Amino acid sequence: KAGVTQTPRYLIKTRGQQVTLSCSPISGHRSVSWYQQTPGQGLQFLFEYFSETQRNKGNFPGRFSGRQFSNSRSEMNVSTLELGDSALYLCASSLAGQGGQETQYFGPGTRLLVL
Amino acid sequence: SQKIEQNSEALNIQEGKTATLTCNYTNYSPAYLQWYRQDPGRGPVFLLLIRENEKEKRKERLKVTFDTTLKQSLFHITASQPADSATYLCALDDSGNDMRFGAGTRLTVKP
């Protein structure tokens, strides 16, 4: 089976712009979670989608949003980019979205640089 | 507030020794705790899962303990090798649907 894929792998944007990142989970997986990883904060939970519904959301401003499609592919959007949004954005998929009971399979991440 | 703290940002040990990494949590009541390995430029990779009613779990050279009274998990790598050098992340479930991660410990095993 193909692993989790994320596109694009690298992105450079300027402040005030918006960005859309894409994640394709492992075939058959219905849950997709998004994380932001920075050297200072580690891996921070953004949100989790299951069957096209957002089930959980972390402590991020409303500029961060996401959605999931019927084929389980997911996108996240960041509007009005700030310098502090520069980070590695990781998505992870799991089969049934049962939290700690299941392995999370991570993609390689999208590295976003905001100038 | 809720916290997941991994003992140190970096740990250096000599090849052949046992590496011990610590994960402490506050204001969580996880039913499961997981450990992941992350190499530079890559996403984390799952290593081990331990349930709240399990004291210890082993897989090859890896051992994890889970003490719900101390609110702590220990992760051991025995007979460490330079190839074990990576960042190790602990994660626990929060409300059953999503995982919360610690900041990680960067392990360097020197030959």
Side-chain angles (χ1 to χ4, degrees):
Chain A
K1 270 186 182 177
V4 178
T5 58
Q6 292 187 246
T7 56
R9 291 294 312 278
Y10 304 93
L11 207 48
I12 299 176
K13 292 284 187 180
T14 56
R15 278 180 299 174
Q17 287 187 309
Q18 76 163 22
V19 66
T20 299
L21 311 181
S22 181
C23 172
S24 292
I26 291 172
S27 178
H29 283 196
R30 296 168 66 191
S31 170
V32 173
S33 297
W34 287 89
Y35 297 88
Q36 180 195 67
Q37 188 173 38
T38 58
Q41 298 293 319
L43 232 120
Q44 301 286 309
F45 172 74
L46 280 156
F47 25 66
E48 187 249 354
Y49 285 87
F50 182 82
S51 293
E52 301 178 67
T53 300
Q54 185 182 91
R55 290 198 301 189
N56 289 291
K57 192 175 192 306
N59 295 324
F60 278 82
R63 301 185 295 108
F64 292 81
S65 63
R67 58 178 175 168
Q68 187 180 33
F69 301 95
S70 58
N71 62 358
S72 293
R73 191 177 69 85
S74 178
E75 289 181 347
M76 68 162 280
N77 187 321
V78 189
S79 62
T80 320
L81 284 166
E82 300 176 359
L83 295 179
D85 297 333
S86 295
L88 180 67
Y89 290 87
L90 292 159
C91 84
S93 75
S94 67
L95 191 61
Q98 293 183 346
Q101 298 182 64
E102 290 187 292
T103 300
Q104 300 254 313
Y105 294 87
F106 282 84
T110 294
R111 187 162 295 282
L112 172 65
L113 178 61
V114 182
L115 301 175
Chain B
S1 62
Q2 292 178 315
K3 288 183 188 176
I4 302 171
E5 294 174 307
Q6 295 193 236
N7 56 328
S8 56
E9 195 174 310
L11 181 65
N12 298 316
I13 64 167
Q14 209 64 37
E15 182 176 8
K17 300 292 185 184
T18 296
T20 298
L21 285 64
T22 304
C23 175
N24 295 294
Y25 57 90
T26 307
N27 291 326
Y28 284 103
S29 296
Y32 306 89
L33 193 144
Q34 300 180 3
W35 284 87
Y36 287 76
R37 168 183 172 141
Q38 186 175 22
D39 291 287
R42 297 184 171 226
V45 174
F46 171 79
L47 295 174
L48 279 168
L49 178 155
I50 187 165
R51 295 172 174 76
E52 62 178 338
N53 60 353
E54 296 177 314
K55 296 294 182 189
E56 183 180 297
K57 200 84 169 275
R58 290 175 187 261
K59 179 182 174 184
E60 297 171 354
R61 295 184 296 111
L62 308 180
K63 184 178 86 171
V64 172
T65 62
F66 190 9
D67 189 324
T68 55
T69 302
L70 291 178
K71 296 188 184 300
Q72 180 182 78
S73 174
L74 298 179
F75 177 79
H76 306 272
I77 306 175
T78 57
S80 59
Q81 305 165 0
D84 295 327
S85 297
T87 296
Y88 292 85
L89 304 163
C90 73
L92 47 84
D93 66 336
D94 181 36
S95 69
N97 294 138
D98 59 78
M99 300 295 290
R100 304 299 168 112
F101 284 77
T105 295
R106 187 173 67 252
L107 174 68
T108 302
V109 181
K110 298 184 178 180

